[in-house]
Every structure is written in structure tokens, then in C-alpha cells.
Amino acid sequence: MDEGSNEPANEHRERRIDVASALLLSVATVLAAWSAFQSAKWSGEQATAYAQASSLRQESVRASTLAGQQVIIDVTVFEQIVDAFAVGDRRLENFYRDRVREEFKPALEAWIAEAREDIESAPSTPFAMDEYELASALKSEDLQEQAESRFQDALDNNQRSDNYVLLAVLFASVLLFAGLAPKSRTYAIQVAMISLATVVLIVGIGFLLAFPKTF
């Protein structure tokens, strides 16, 4: 009598364990696959950001090199102007002043004006004045900042990829616990396995909702 009454109850318990196990396995499988997909996508974003950072750094170096070359040209012309002024050769002075780079002219003219007014209080050279600006130098600085920003993006994307790998491992543990639960002969152990799998799944879903996503 008792054994007959226990069989339906046991079957009902087993059915519930099987249903819970199947549900957990289904959800965890999908979420593990999604986590793997996100990890791969963020790895791609990381590679792109690294490549862009490298390209920006190269452009920054080229712009910095150009700025250095322009400074050398400006210094050379300025020295010729000063030498011509020192010997009183106005014609030669004007010759070099007419050939000054357009970018250098504002600083040079401002320095000459100050030097004529008070040579002792004037800056030692035009290159120490606020008017002396090189577009190539500013471009180099801007490109360097962009490169650093993209490099940081690459580091962030790498961490995001790693986070999704860990999340996939977490969902894999759900598969393990949910898959082992029906195989146990003790109902208490089955419930414990299902409960553990459920808790881990909920924690994983919480992380999944919090993590950034890319498509």
C-alpha cells in the first residue's frame, strides 16, 4: 500500500527534476553561446582599436617629424635675417623676410616690433612667443591623444572579452550541475544540484545584463 502510494510521488519528483534540469540546460546553453559570441565580438573590437591606435601613433610621429623640420627651416631663416640686420644689409634682410613661411610670419613680425621698441625686454627669439604655433605640432599632439584614447579602448575591450569568457564558464557550470542532477539517486542531492544551478544562472544573468554589448 505504502510502496504503491510512493511510486506516483517519486515519479512526480523525478518529472519535476527532469523539467527543471531541461529548462536550466536550455537557458544556460543559449546564454553560454551568447557569451561566447560577445567575447568574440569584443575581441574583434579590441583588435580594431589596437590597429587604429597604432595608425594614429604613426601619423602623430609623421606630423611631429614635419614640425621638427619646419622649426629647423624657421630657425635657419631667422638666423639669416639677424645676420643681415647685424651687418646693415637691408636688402638681404628683406630678401629672407619675404621668404619666411606664412606660419612663421606672425611671430617674426611681432618679435621685430617688440625688438625695435625695446630690445632688452623683447623675447630672445620669435620661437618663445605665443604667436609661434605650428599646425603640424598641434596635429601631432591631437593624434597622440586620439591614439592614447583608442589604446585605452582596446584595453577596455580586452577586459570585456575576458569578462564574457568568464561568464561563459559560469553558464557552463550551470550545464554541469543541471546535467548531473537527474543522474543522482538521492532526491535531496538532486534538489541541491538544481538549486545551485539556478543560483549560478541567476548570478550569471545579472552579470550579463550589466555587461556592455556589441553587435
Side-chain angles (χ1 to χ4, degrees), residues 121-136:
S121 63
S124 56
T125 68
F127 311 106
M129 303 186 68
D130 294 337
E131 287 84 352
Y132 187 70
E133 288 187 350
L134 295 176
S136 52

Side-chain angles (χ1 to χ4, degrees), residues 179-197:
L180 290 176
K183 301 182 183 300
S184 176
R185 295 181 180 180
T186 305
Y187 180 68
I189 295 178
Q190 291 177 336
V191 172
M193 288 284 211
I194 292 296
S195 299
L196 181 58

Side-chain angles (χ1 to χ4, degrees), residues 1-169:
M1 181 74 176
D2 292 339
E3 292 181 1
S5 62
N6 286 335
E7 287 183 3
N10 291 337
E11 290 179 1
H12 182 64
R13 286 179 178 179
E14 291 178 0
R15 189 176 303 110
R16 284 190 301 178
I17 292 297
D18 288 340
V19 171
S21 175
L23 181 61
L24 288 169
L25 288 171
S26 299
V27 175
T29 298
V30 172
L31 295 182
W34 172 256
S35 298
F37 168 74
Q38 284 295 306
S39 176
K41 291 291 289 183
W42 282 117
S43 292
E45 294 289 338
Q46 170 199 347
T48 299
Y50 274 135
Q52 290 176 344
S54 177
S55 177
L56 287 168
R57 282 200 179 97
Q58 290 176 4
E59 291 183 32
S60 175
V61 170
R62 283 195 290 268
S64 178
T65 301
L66 176 60
Q69 293 171 343
Q70 291 173 334
V71 169
I72 292 174
I73 293 172
D74 294 341
V75 169
T76 302
V77 173
F78 175 67
E79 289 175 345
Q80 297 298 328
I81 293 174
V82 171
D83 290 343
F85 175 79
V87 298
D89 193 338
R90 191 78 178 197
R91 180 183 175 189
L92 185 60
E93 177 187 345
N94 290 334
F95 172 83
Y96 285 115
R97 288 179 65 178
D98 290 341
R99 284 156 180 78
V100 168
R101 291 188 319 108
E102 290 297 324
E103 204 174 27
F104 181 35
K105 282 184 179 180
L108 177 63
E109 297 302 327
W111 181 82
I112 290 175
E114 288 193 24
R116 283 176 176 171
E117 184 176 340
D118 187 355
I119 188 63
E120 293 185 0
S121 63
S124 56
T125 68
F127 311 106
M129 303 186 68
D130 294 337
E131 287 84 352
Y132 187 70
E133 288 187 350
L134 295 176
S136 52
L138 296 175
K139 180 180 179 181
S140 176
E141 292 176 5
D142 180 60
L143 289 169
Q144 182 61 31
E145 289 178 1
Q146 292 182 46
E148 291 176 359
S149 176
R150 292 303 291 152
F151 183 76
Q152 185 58 51
D153 289 342
L155 294 178
D156 293 341
N157 293 337
N158 179 61
Q159 184 59 56
R160 290 163 183 160
S161 177
D162 290 345
N163 289 342
Y164 274 106
V165 170
L166 292 176
L167 197 56
V169 172

